[in-house]
Amino acid sequence: MFESFSEIFDPRTRCSYSIDEIFFGALTMDLLKCGSRNQYNNLWREEPFRQNFECQFKLSLPHADTIDEVIRQTPPEYLEEIRTRLVKHLIENKSLRRFRIFGSHYLVAVDATGIASFNERHCPHCLMKTSKNGVVSYFHYVLEAKLVTTSGLAISIGSEFIENPDGEDYDKQDCEQKAFKRLVRKIKKAFPRLPICLLANGLYPTDPVFDICLEYGWNFIITLKDNALKTFQKEASLFKHTAKPRTVDLACKGWEIYREYKYLNDIQYHKRKFEWLSLCEIKFQTETGEITENQFVYITNIRQNIENVIETADSGRLRWKIENEGFNVQKNNGYGMEHKYSRLNYIAMQNYYLILQIAHLVNQLGEISKTLTIILQEHSKATIKDLWMKLFGYLIFVEHIDTDRPPG
Ligand SMILES: [Zn+2]
C-alpha cells in the first residue's frame, strides 16, 4: 500500500510532505475513525501524537487542509487501482478461498447507498429530487460491489458513482441500473478471471442483469419480490407443490429456528430457463413465546439439488451484509461516511469515499487479527470501540513510544 501511494502522480510543484505521506494521512483519518477533518486536526495538534505516529510509521503526518489540497486534484482512478491491487493480493494469497460458494465462486453483493445530500446544488453532477411541496434537494449516491463472507467481512471491490453528466442538458438522470452496467464492466476489467456469484436485491431480476451474468460467466442469486417477474413466478407456482422440501431445525441463543428450503429447476423466463428457490424461516423465542416468520424467494442460475439448496439460499441471504457490515458500519461506527469531508469538490468527495473503502478493508482485517482477538478474549467486556479509545490515549499521552519494544 505504501508503495502504491508513492506512485500516485503528485500535482504539486512545491511541497513539504511526500505524496505517500499525504495519502497515508488521509487513510489515517479513517483508520482511526476520526469521522471528520476537524477531529483529525484535533489529534494532529497534539505533538506527542505526531511524534509517536512518525515513530511507528516512519512518515510525517500532514494537516488535513494540506491533505485536502492534493485530494481535490487527484483522479479517483488512482485509488480505485490501489484498492484493486490490495484485493487481488488477498485473493492471490488465498485468504478468502474458504468463503467461496461450493468452493468455487466468490460472493459479491451489489447495492447503492447515499453518501451526501444538500439543500442547494453542490456540483454539476448532483442528482436531484423534487418533493411533493416543490422543494428540490440535491444528493450523491454510489453503487457498491462488496465481496462478502459468512464470517462477516464486506470488502469493497468496486464503486460506481451515480452522477448526472456535466451541465443541465440531459433527458433522464443517471440511475442505479445504468451505474450497474458501468460497475460490472469495471469489475470484469479489474478481475477478469475471478469466478463471481452476484447477490442482489429485488431491483435486479431484469433481462440486462441476466444478460451480463451469462456473458461474464457469473452465477447469480437475486431476490424476487412478490410482484417481480410475474410470468416466472406464475410458472413456479404451478409446480411449487411438487418441490420436495429440505428442512433444518436449529436452536441458538434463546431461539428455536425451523427452516424449509424448496427449489425448482428449469423454470421458463423469456426463452431462457432459470432456477427458483425459496426459504421459509420460522423463529420461536423460547422465553417470550414470540413467533416470527420470514419468506425469502430467489432466482438463480445455479442448478439446484437436495445437496446444494441450503448453501445457495443461505448465500443469497448474505446480501444483507453489504448493508449491515458495509454501509451501516461506514456510516455509524466512527467512519462518518456521510460526513462532508470536502464540501464543494466532487473529485475530493469521490476520493474520500474510496480512501474510506481502503481503510475499512485494513481495519476489518486488523479487527479479526490474532492480536486483537486475543486481547478481546482476555478482556471479556472490552469492545473494538474501547480498544480504539485506548489506542488514541496511548498515542497522545505516552511520550516517545519505543518502536523496538512491543507495546504493553
Ligand atoms: Zn454534487
Side-chain angles (χ1 to χ4, degrees):
M1 188 167 60
F2 287 113
E3 207 182 288
S4 302
F5 282 157
S6 63
E7 287 168 9
I8 293 178
F9 172 73
D10 196 334
R12 301 162 300 169
T13 44
R14 281 175 51 215
C15 42
S16 36
Y17 293 93
S18 63
I19 194 81
D20 52 343
E21 286 174 327
I22 295 286
F23 278 92
F24 194 60
L27 191 78
T28 302
M29 284 186 212
D30 292 321
L31 287 178
L32 294 180
K33 307 182 191 180
C34 293
S36 71
R37 274 161 61 188
N38 218 7
Q39 180 64 28
Y40 167 85
N41 280 340
N42 288 341
L43 271 175
W44 183 84
R45 283 188 197 99
E46 303 282 349
E47 207 185 329
F49 174 78
R50 287 206 308 278
Q51 284 172 354
N52 285 331
F53 187 90
E54 220 166 296
C55 262
Q56 297 288 327
F57 297 108
K58 312 291 178 244
L59 291 172
S60 303
L61 204 56
H63 186 275
D65 292 353
T66 315
I67 295 173
D68 195 56
E69 209 180 296
V70 183
I71 296 271
R72 285 158 179 250
Q73 301 176 63
T74 302
E77 289 76 21
Y78 281 103
L79 292 163
E80 290 187 298
E81 172 63 29
I82 293 173
R83 172 182 54 192
T84 299
R85 276 196 221 173
L86 295 174
V87 175
K88 272 190 176 164
H89 183 75
L90 279 179
I91 291 167
E92 281 159 14
N93 263 356
K94 305 185 177 167
S95 313
L96 302 167
R97 265 174 87 85
R98 66 196 162 100
F99 300 114
R100 294 172 304 169
I101 179 172
F102 310 125
S104 65
H105 286 61
Y106 291 90
L107 296 167
V108 173
V110 288
D111 204 354
T113 188
I115 49 171
S117 62
F118 306 88
N119 294 328
E120 286 171 16
R121 179 175 280 285
H122 146 270
C123 75
H125 304 285
C126 281
L127 300 170
M128 282 174 359
K129 195 165 60 189
T130 310
S131 74
K132 277 184 209 149
N133 322 329
V135 180
V136 182
S137 54
Y138 300 87
F139 51 96
H140 282 277
Y141 259 73
V142 62
L143 182 64
E144 260 292 305
K146 291 194 200 290
L147 200 154
V148 294
T149 70
T150 43
S151 65
L153 294 173
I155 297 170
S156 174
I157 68 162
S159 311
E160 182 62 32
F161 295 90
I162 306 177
E163 59 185 24
N164 285 326
D166 254 328
E168 305 268 330
D169 195 21
Y170 47 84
D171 294 339
K172 259 183 154 182
Q173 296 203 72
D174 195 15
C175 63
E176 195 170 331
Q177 284 79 4
K178 287 191 211 165
F180 176 77
K181 291 182 187 168
R182 303 195 298 269
L183 175 69
V184 289
R185 228 177 287 136
K186 266 190 199 171
I187 295 174
K188 189 67 183 170
K189 199 171 162 215
F191 306 96
R193 286 183 306 277
L194 191 72
I196 286 177
C197 177
L198 187 79
L199 310 177
N201 65 24
L203 266 184
Y204 285 80
T206 63
D207 278 317
V209 174
F210 299 146
D211 290 342
I212 288 168
C213 289
L214 295 177
E215 185 192 331
Y216 288 174
W218 292 355
N219 284 339
F220 61 79
I221 306 167
I222 300 177
T223 304
L224 271 188
K225 288 187 191 159
D226 286 347
N227 53 2
L229 306 193
K230 283 196 178 131
T231 55
F232 180 82
Q233 299 223 60
K234 204 172 160 194
E235 175 103 351
S237 69
L238 294 176
F239 298 101
K240 252 184 224 172
H241 64 281
T242 63
K244 203 171 136 201
R246 173 117 188 239
T247 59
V248 173
D249 284 300
L250 292 167
C252 72
K253 291 178 190 162
W255 290 90
E256 279 174 25
I257 302 167
Y258 169 80
R259 288 187 190 141
E260 189 181 271
Y261 301 81
K262 280 185 180 175
Y263 65 88
L264 293 166
N265 285 318
D266 295 326
I267 299 295
Q268 189 90 24
Y269 177 70
H270 286 184
K271 295 183 185 162
R272 285 191 285 224
K273 286 175 177 172
F274 295 123
E275 280 60 68
W276 172 92
L277 185 63
S278 88
L279 160 58
C280 174
E281 181 181 77
I282 299 166
K283 290 169 84 176
F284 173 73
Q285 194 172 26
T286 38
E287 214 166 88
T288 61
E290 184 194 326
I291 295 175
T292 47
E293 189 176 332
N294 282 306
Q295 177 91 23
F296 307 91
V297 181
Y298 301 99
I299 181 167
T300 174
N301 60 348
I302 304 169
R303 199 164 179 82
Q304 294 300 293
N305 58 52
I306 209 76
E307 302 300 326
N308 70 6
V309 63
I310 294 181
E311 191 173 344
T312 315
D314 289 354
S315 298
R317 284 186 72 186
L318 287 180
R319 193 204 67 77
W320 65 269
K321 290 202 178 285
I322 192 170
E323 289 177 28
N324 200 39
E325 271 85 343
F327 304 149
N328 189 24
V329 167
Q330 290 186 4
K331 285 180 187 183
N332 303 318
N333 285 21
Y335 293 103
M337 182 171 104
E338 292 163 303
H339 182 84
K340 294 158 190 85
Y341 279 99
S342 200
R343 232 175 199 289
L344 295 171
N345 189 292
Y346 181 50
I347 300 241
M349 182 195 282
Q350 296 177 67
N351 282 332
Y352 282 116
Y353 179 82
L354 293 166
I355 290 166
L356 168 55
Q357 302 315 308
I358 296 173
H360 189 212
L361 163 60
V362 175
N363 275 352
Q364 286 183 82
L365 299 180
E367 285 167 12
I368 56 163
S369 68
K370 231 180 220 169
T371 317
L372 247 75
T373 315
I374 291 172
I375 296 175
L376 288 173
Q377 274 167 1
E378 282 172 358
H379 304 84
S380 63
K381 293 230 165 65
T383 60
I384 292 283
K385 202 175 168 186
D386 299 330
L387 292 180
W388 241 246
M389 302 234 330
K390 283 173 184 152
L391 178 70
F392 275 126
Y394 180 70
L395 287 169
I396 296 172
F397 298 114
V398 179
E399 283 195 30
H400 306 299
I401 296 167
D402 183 356
T403 45
D404 295 331
R405 267 188 22 221

